[in-house]
Amino acid sequence: MTEPTEPVAGADTPTDPHENVPHEKAPSVTRLIALSDGIYAIAMTLLVINVTVPGHLDAAAFHKALNDALPSLGAFALSFTLIAGFWRDHRRILTSLPTETIVVTRLVLLGLGLVALLPFPTGLLAEYASQPDAVALYASAMAAIHAVHATLLLLTQHRVHPSPESPAAVARRRFTAQLAASVLVFGVSIPLAFVNTEAAMWFWLTLVPAHYLLRRRLPGRFLRR
């Protein structure tokens, strides 16, 4: 059943404040997107803080410090790429919504909180990539953000595409499957990190063929702006 997008005039206010109904006092989807853009921009910028080289070094110390900064550069590149993907997916999800609901707003804020936290596990990964806890924490954060986005898609599927057989609805399900695959890959890498940290990080690369196969098996394009 498709949820109403506007409160019905004269209807009683729902007794359950957690019910997935339009939130009259919530900001518009446009303002929610603007808030999201700002948080994503800040998170992406803060990643570079972990990349530093001390000043006033002689030649030998400078080259050593520059070499020591390479893990931080790698972690920055990885997280920046993933956050850029999160931002793109986030906008795809929100721009397709006619209006928001209490549940959608809270899920969006949860996802934004996790994104804002990403510079912390990124710094840990750069400094302690050999430690299982650091790798597991990073993978957990990535799995959690993908899970929030997948949940948003599932909760809003019928509101955006009432007809499940439409090409756009099929493409949206493909998008959800890709996010679920990301949750699975990062989730499996969490226990794997306590067995072999390098294997866990290399395992993240399986996302590339996984997404490719899902795209081939579920053709179609997700609705664009």
Side-chain angles (χ1 to χ4, degrees):
M1 179 179 178
T2 304
E3 296 178 9
T5 58
E6 296 180 358
V8 178
D12 294 334
T13 302
T15 58
D16 183 4
H18 301 288
E19 187 178 352
N20 190 23
V21 297
H23 188 1
E24 293 179 357
K25 296 182 180 180
S28 66
V29 173
T30 300
R31 291 181 62 187
L32 199 57
I33 292 173
L35 171 65
S36 302
D37 288 346
I39 291 178
Y40 273 96
I42 293 171
M44 295 167 84
T45 303
L46 289 177
L47 292 174
V48 80
I49 291 178
N50 297 316
V51 184
T52 59
V53 173
H56 309 293
L57 301 176
D58 58 32
F62 168 74
H63 287 96
K64 182 180 183 304
L66 191 60
N67 186 66
D68 291 341
L70 290 179
S72 295
L73 282 171
F76 164 78
L78 174 63
S79 291
F80 189 92
T81 301
L82 288 169
I83 292 179
F86 288 143
W87 171 77
R88 178 198 61 202
D89 295 344
H90 194 74
R91 287 184 65 88
R92 281 178 166 182
I93 295 168
L94 292 184
T95 53
S96 65
L97 294 179
T99 186
E100 77 211 71
T101 65
I102 295 175
V103 172
V104 166
T105 300
R106 290 177 179 175
L107 278 172
V108 168
L109 292 176
L110 173 61
L112 292 178
L114 292 169
V115 168
L117 185 65
L118 278 182
F120 172 63
T122 299
L124 287 181
L125 186 68
E127 296 293 334
Y128 302 100
S130 62
Q131 298 297 317
D133 291 343
V135 177
L137 180 61
Y138 187 86
S140 298
M142 293 298 171
I145 297 172
H146 280 106
V148 169
H149 287 177
T151 303
L152 280 170
L153 281 171
L154 289 172
L155 286 178
T156 59
Q157 172 72 20
H158 296 299
R159 296 178 59 217
V160 177
H161 302 299
S163 174
E165 303 304 322
S166 68
V170 172
R172 190 179 175 91
R173 289 197 294 272
R174 180 204 64 191
F175 185 26
T176 306
Q178 289 176 319
L179 291 174
S182 298
V183 175
L184 178 63
V185 168
F186 281 111
V188 169
S189 72
I190 295 172
L192 183 58
F194 292 94
V195 178
N196 188 310
T197 55
E198 289 189 7
M201 289 186 285
W202 281 109
F203 186 67
W204 296 340
L205 292 178
T206 60
L207 283 173
V208 177
H211 284 195
Y212 174 78
L213 290 174
L214 287 169
R215 186 165 56 248
R216 295 280 293 183
R217 292 181 64 86
L218 291 173
R221 296 184 304 170
F222 186 72
L223 284 181
R224 298 181 182 272
R225 290 184 61 185

